[in-house]
Each structure stands twice: as structure tokens, then as C-alpha cells.
């Protein structure tokens, strides 16, 4: 196990000191925190995003400044303190340098986050969701769950996400992990229907658990996919969380049937008013035998979401991210341990939540062994899968690349009910990939031109002007 050095511990103490200043006067001390982050980033790993962050947070009339200051009025102070410390001190300062060092030493990807399924059980049966096939067939034992986190922390990973199934089926165990690993951040994708007052009180007590509530848009869109009455249960869950000043966000899957709703200002404004602090957008993936390829977003709908998410970030105080259309910011696909990976409820270690193939299992392999497995090394040597980072995915955008990696590694389908040959899976996405390619290529050219314009403007606004405030 790699232990923190004295230097790292002193850095952590310094950042905690700055965070204490933030609590007393955010307006005055936000610049101090940015200065500390800049000084501590010795490897220049934040060289790309840090100037932009500094610029937008210097605009006190901007939406990002409002977003940060809202965290001080809308979130319980003890919860905010724990999340900030765990994220900045552990995940960024202690964890980041450790991961970079180990990646070089071990010659493999080390993820920033691990997504795992505590259980395959779910209290709903949503249209197009592969988890509905499994029922309560698979569960990670508490010991296995704990071991994943212990191994992850030793390698520099302090951010853990849950999916399923419905993770909150195991609410008591979730709280146990939050208590034991109080130095980590835990986020759960959840349908929200199991969030009640008692669980919210436990969230408030431990302070390091954040739900990302799945919602399909308005009541009609949500209930049509998730079941009658689900929308009202979700809204009640949001009310409970907001009353206790607990942070939460929304997880939105856009499809050919609901993009108009999800991709609207009115929808985002409603979610902000209900207390959501982040919105993570996913596009529908036709995984599993019950998949409905007709639900794949059209190229026009995907382009709309590309533009809409950027519009949200410029005009709304909410952290919005699209895991496909934001590939430009992370140089393509983040899976395969490059930034994250997935462990299902049977212990299979998969490159991605949507790629149900594996050659390693947590019951027979350590995490580090899995990171060096043939499948994960295929990901490492093949990323990025496309030089156009608006076509990042090896399944949705470059399906031939996924099939080649699975074939080369000898990985097997992890679907215990209906194993799916990778070539059958890719056949569902080939038409969508072919239709998206020319649209994405046009957007990529447009994107490069916009970045060139911003580079030409000293203020980074893209206008190319010579205004005094931009010099």
C-alpha cells in the first residue's frame, strides 16, 4: 500500500485551512482556494481547465460564481465541508499524484472513480433497462464491497459511484460504507423512490453520500418509462433532500422519445428550483436482449443536446455534463480504467457500465491485476478510439473498435441471463454510428474554429477584441 508522504499531508493541512476560510467568507476566499490549487498542481495536470475556472469564478455576475456561492447557502455546512475536503484533499491532491505515479510504475490505467453495483435487485422495471432481467440474483457481499474500496484507496481512488439494480435496496450497507470510509465521496445513481426521511437523516449524519436521481423529464415521460406514480415519488424525494440542505443531482437518459423535454430550458429550470446541483446526461444505449434500438437518439437530437448542455453551462447555476458529447474535454472515452470502470453485482470487472464483457472478477483478481488484464490493456493502447472526440465511444460511435478489443482479449459476456455476442451488440449501433459521424465531424470543425477564436482573444471570450479588460 502506498502511504501519504509528509509533503502530501502538509498540503492537505494547507487546503483544509483554506477551506475553513471559505466557510467564513466565500466571496473573499474563493480566489485563495484557486491559488492554492494552482501552487499544488506541480505536475501541471490541471493546466487545461484551471485558467477557465479562474476566469469564470472571477466574474461575480456569472452563473458559475452563483453556483459556488449557492453551495454555501443551500448545503448543510458539515456536509459541504466533508465533501469539499474529500474531493479536493483526497481525490485531487493525495489521490491524483498517487495515480499518476502508479500508472507510470505499473504501465496500466488507474481510475479516478469506480462505479459498482451493490445489487442487481430493483424495485422498478424500466423500459430498456438491462438490470430488470436479473432480479435479485446477484449481490456483492459487504466484505467484497469493502475490499474494493480499500484496494481502490491504496491506488489513489477516493470517489465511488453506485448503480444497479437499485443501490438503495441496500441503504443500511451504503451508510456502513460511508461511515467506515469517511475519507471518500460516494454517489449513487438511484430511481429516488426509496429516499425517505429516515434515510435522508442518515445522509445528513455521515455527510459523504450524494444521490443522482434518475428522471426522464416531465411526469408523462418519466412514468411512461419507469411506471405510474414514479415521478411524484421522485419529486417527494427531492423535497426531503432540499429540506435538509442535502446535495443531490439528476441523472437524465435522453432517448428518441424524450429529448425535447430533457433538452429544454424549462426542464432544467424546474430541476434547479427543486434543488438539483448537477445534471448528468446519458444517451440511451441498446444493451441487453430487451433493448429497444428505436430509442437511440437521432443525430439531430444528439446535436441538440450537444448545444443545449453548453447553453446550460453558460446560463444556469447547475453543473451539467454529457458523457458522450463532452468527450472533447477529456480527450475521448473515459472507460477502461482511464478515468473510471464498472464492477457488477457478480464481481465482474468491466471497462464501462455499458460494456458487459470482462476477463477478471473481484473474487479471483485484485483491482491492479484487473487493470493489467488483456481487456483493460486493450482499452489503454486503443484510446482514444477516434481523433474526433465527439465520437468517443467504442460501442455507440466506433462499434468495430469494441468488437476488435473483445475478440483480441478473449473477454466474455457477463450477462448471466442472456449472454450477448459482441458482434450482435455492435450490429445494433452501426446504423447510429454511421448517421452520427458526418454530423459529429461538422461539429468538430466548428468546435476547433471556436477554440481558435478564443485563443486569439486575450480575455478568452472568443471575440478577438482588444478591450482593456481583456489585456
Amino acid at each position: 500500500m502506498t502511504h501519504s508522504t509528509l509533503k502530501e499531508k502538509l498540503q492537505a493541512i494547507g487546503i483544509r485551512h483554506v477551506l475553513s476560510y471559505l466557510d467564513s467568507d466565500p466571496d473573499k476566499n474563493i480566489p485563495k482556494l484557486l491559488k492554492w490549487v494552482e501552487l499544488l498542481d506541480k505536475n501541471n495536470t490541471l493546466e487545461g481547465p484551471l485558467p477557465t475556472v479562474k476566469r469564470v469564478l472571477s466574474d461575480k455576475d456569472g452563473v458559475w460564481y452563483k453556483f459556488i456561492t449557492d453551495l454555501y447557502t443551500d448545503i448543510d455546512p458539515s456536509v459541504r465541508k466533508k465533501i469539499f475536503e474529500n474531493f479536493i484533499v483526497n481525490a485531487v491532491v493525495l489521490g491524483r499524484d498517487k495515480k499518476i505515479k502508479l500508472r507510470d510504475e505499473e504501465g496500466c490505467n488507474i481510475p479516478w472513480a469506480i462505479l459498482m453495483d451493490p445489487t442487481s435487485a430493483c424495485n422498478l422495471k424500466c423500459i430498456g433497462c438491462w438490470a430488470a432481467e436479473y432480479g435479485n440474483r446477484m449481490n456483492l457481499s459487504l466484505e467484497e464491497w469493502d475490499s474494493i474500496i480499500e484496494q481502490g484507496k491504496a491506488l489513489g481512488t477516493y470517489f465511488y459511484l453506485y448503480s444497479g439494480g437499485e443501490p438503495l435496496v441496500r441503504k443500511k450497507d451504503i451508510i456502513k460504507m460511508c461511515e467506515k470510509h469517511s475519507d471518500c465521496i460516494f454517489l449513487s445513481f438511484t430511481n429516488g423512490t426509496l429516499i425517505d426521511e429516515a434515510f435522508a437523516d442518515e445522509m445528513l449524519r455521515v455527510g459523504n453520500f450524494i444521490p443522482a436521481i434518475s428522471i426522464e423529464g416531465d411526469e408523462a415521460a418519466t412514468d411512461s418509462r419507469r411506471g405510474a406514480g414514479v415521478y411524484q415519488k421522485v419529486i417527494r424525494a427531492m423535497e426531503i433532500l432540499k429540506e435538509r440542505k442535502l446535495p443531490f443531482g439528476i441523472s437524465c437518459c435522453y432517448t428518441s422519445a424524450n429529448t425535447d423535454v430533457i433538452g429544454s430550458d424549462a426542464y432544467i429550470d424546474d430541476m434547479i428550483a427543486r434543488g438539483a446541483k448537477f445534471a448528468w446526461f446519458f444517451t440511451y444505449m441498446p444493451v441487453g436482449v430487451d433493448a429497444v434500438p428505436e430509442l437511440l437518439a437521432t443525430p439531430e437530437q444528439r446535436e441538440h443536446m450537444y448545444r443545449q448542455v453548453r447553453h446550460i453551462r453558460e446560463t444556469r447555476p447547475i453543473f451539467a455534463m454529457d458523457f458522450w458529447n463532452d468527450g472533447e474535454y477529456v480527450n475521448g472515452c473515459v472507460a477502461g480504467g482511464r478515468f473510471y470502470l464498472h464492477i457488477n453485482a457478480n464481481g465482474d470487472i468491466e471497462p464501462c457500465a455499458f460494456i458487459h464483457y470482462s476477463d477478471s472478477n473481484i473474487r479471483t483478481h485484485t483491482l491492479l491485476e484487473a487493470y493489467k488484464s488483456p481487456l483493460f490493456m486493450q482499452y489503454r493502447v486503443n484510446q482514444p478510439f477516434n481523433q474526433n472526440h465527439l465520437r468517443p465511444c467504442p460501442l455507440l460511435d466506433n462499434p468495430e473498435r469494441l468488437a476488435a478489443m473483445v475478440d483480441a482479449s478473449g473477454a466474455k459476456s457477463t450477462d448471466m441471463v442472456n449472454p450477448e455476442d459482441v458482434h450482435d451488440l455492435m450490429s445494433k449501433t452501426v446504423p447510429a454510428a454511421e448517421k452520427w459521424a458526418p454530423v459529429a465531424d461538422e461539429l468538430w470543425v466548428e468546435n476547433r474554429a471556436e477554440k481558435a477564436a478564443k485563443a486569439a482573444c486575450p480575455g478568452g471570450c472568443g471575440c478577438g477584441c482588444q478591450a482593456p479588460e481583456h489585456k
Side-chain angles (χ1 to χ4, degrees):
M1 179 181 294
T2 304
H3 295 282
S4 300
T5 65
L6 176 60
K7 181 180 178 182
E8 288 171 335
K9 290 177 180 177
L10 290 173
Q11 288 175 341
I13 292 170
I15 291 179
R16 289 190 179 98
H17 188 59
V18 173
L19 289 173
S20 69
Y21 276 120
L22 275 176
D23 275 337
S24 62
D25 191 344
D27 279 357
K28 178 182 177 182
N29 293 303
I30 284 175
K32 289 186 179 180
L33 177 60
L34 293 173
K35 184 70 174 177
W36 267 90
V37 172
E38 188 174 28
L39 290 172
L40 293 173
D41 186 31
K42 301 299 185 184
N43 296 317
N44 294 321
T45 55
L46 300 175
E47 184 178 16
L50 192 57
T52 300
V53 172
K54 289 173 67 177
R55 177 170 58 82
V56 298
L57 289 184
S58 66
D59 178 9
K60 293 194 175 183
D61 295 322
V63 294
W64 282 103
Y65 193 88
K66 176 172 171 48
F67 173 76
I68 295 296
T69 54
D70 281 353
L71 297 180
Y72 284 84
T73 57
D74 300 347
I75 305 300
D76 177 85
S78 63
V79 173
R80 184 183 60 246
K81 179 181 178 183
K82 176 167 278 192
I83 290 173
F84 276 15
E85 285 193 359
N86 287 358
F87 180 79
I88 297 172
V89 176
N90 298 332
V92 175
V93 175
L94 301 182
R96 194 180 185 95
D97 287 346
K98 187 184 295 185
K99 286 192 290 287
I100 290 171
K101 184 178 183 219
L102 285 170
R103 284 170 185 164
D104 291 340
E105 291 177 353
E106 301 292 346
C108 63
N109 287 334
I110 308 281
W112 183 70
I114 292 176
L115 172 67
M116 69 176 94
D117 302 345
T119 180
S120 63
C122 185
N123 60 321
L124 300 180
K125 187 176 175 65
C126 302
I127 295 172
C129 177
W130 64 81
E133 301 173 18
Y134 301 147
N136 189 20
R137 297 181 182 216
M138 300 184 294
N139 294 278
L140 292 175
S141 71
L142 202 58
E143 292 73 24
E144 290 166 341
W145 188 344
D146 179 56
S147 175
I148 291 168
I149 299 171
E150 290 285 4
Q151 291 182 59
K153 288 197 296 185
L155 298 172
T157 304
Y158 289 86
F159 190 24
Y160 296 86
L161 305 94
Y162 301 133
S163 58
E166 168 50 54
L168 297 195
V169 167
R170 298 185 66 178
K171 288 192 282 191
K172 291 183 179 179
D173 290 338
I174 284 175
I175 295 299
K176 286 179 182 178
M177 290 297 102
C178 289
E179 289 174 326
K180 179 170 183 183
H181 300 285
S182 60
D183 53 349
C184 294
I185 296 176
F186 297 96
L187 182 146
S188 180
F189 296 103
T190 172
N191 61 45
T193 61
L194 299 179
I195 294 175
D196 54 20
E197 289 86 350
F199 182 66
D201 288 340
E202 286 290 87
M203 287 174 55
L204 191 60
R205 180 175 65 83
V206 295
N208 58 341
F209 179 80
I210 306 170
I213 300 174
S214 299
I215 186 166
E216 309 300 323
D218 60 16
E219 186 166 11
T222 297
D223 287 1
S224 68
R225 185 175 180 219
R226 298 187 176 273
V230 169
Y231 180 82
Q232 289 301 325
K233 291 180 181 178
V234 167
I235 296 304
R236 177 55 189 151
M238 292 181 178
E239 291 172 352
I240 291 170
L241 296 170
K242 188 177 181 182
E243 288 166 0
R244 287 161 176 76
K245 291 193 168 187
L246 285 164
F248 70 91
I250 55 174
S251 171
C252 309
C253 176
Y254 58 92
T255 73
S256 60
N258 70 355
T259 298
D260 289 346
V261 176
I262 281 181
S264 69
D265 287 350
Y267 168 66
I268 291 298
D269 288 342
D270 181 53
M271 293 296 101
I272 292 172
R274 296 186 186 280
K277 295 302 178 190
F278 61 89
W280 287 2
F281 293 93
F282 299 83
T283 191
Y284 176 74
M285 299 284 275
V287 177
V289 294
D290 291 335
V292 185
E294 293 76 19
L295 285 176
L296 280 164
T298 66
E300 295 77 16
Q301 289 171 325
R302 188 165 169 183
E303 180 181 355
H304 170 67
M305 292 305 299
Y306 167 88
R307 299 189 186 282
Q308 178 64 4
V309 171
R310 283 155 179 75
H311 166 71
I312 292 168
R313 287 197 285 254
E314 293 171 356
T315 61
R316 299 318 195 258
I318 187 170
F319 179 68
M321 181 167 56
D322 183 323
F323 283 85
W324 279 260
N325 289 336
D326 280 340
E328 64 173 300
Y329 301 112
V330 289
N331 296 322
C333 173
V334 298
R338 182 167 167 258
F339 282 90
Y340 103 107
L341 57 87
H342 178 242
I343 302 174
N344 70 18
N346 192 49
D348 298 308
I349 305 168
E350 303 168 336
C352 174
F354 301 101
I355 306 301
H356 296 178
Y357 300 91
S358 177
D359 56 5
S360 306
N361 189 287
I362 197 65
R363 292 161 186 163
T364 55
H365 298 75
T366 65
L367 285 180
L368 187 57
E369 287 170 346
Y371 300 162
K372 295 181 177 182
S373 73
L375 181 58
F376 277 75
M377 292 305 292
Q378 280 289 311
Y379 263 76
R380 179 175 170 86
V381 301
N382 280 285
Q383 288 166 321
F385 300 110
N386 199 304
Q387 292 306 309
N388 179 345
H389 297 319
L390 301 181
R391 299 168 58 190
C393 182
L395 172 56
L396 185 61
D397 304 316
N398 310 276
E400 72 286 348
R401 303 295 297 274
L402 175 64
M405 290 191 297
V406 171
D407 288 343
S409 66
K412 305 299 182 184
S413 171
T414 57
D415 190 318
M416 295 185 66
V417 178
N418 293 289
E420 187 169 28
D421 183 273
V422 68
H423 296 276
D424 293 335
L425 173 62
M426 67 169 277
S427 69
K428 300 181 208 172
T429 62
V430 167
E434 292 175 345
K435 291 175 183 176
W436 172 243
V439 178
D441 289 346
E442 287 184 13
L443 287 173
W444 190 243
V445 172
E446 175 187 316
N447 183 293
R448 299 302 91 187
E450 288 178 357
K451 288 195 172 182
K454 287 182 179 180
C457 173
C461 70
C463 67
C465 70
Q466 295 296 314
E469 63 269 22
H470 288 178
K471 292 182 180 179

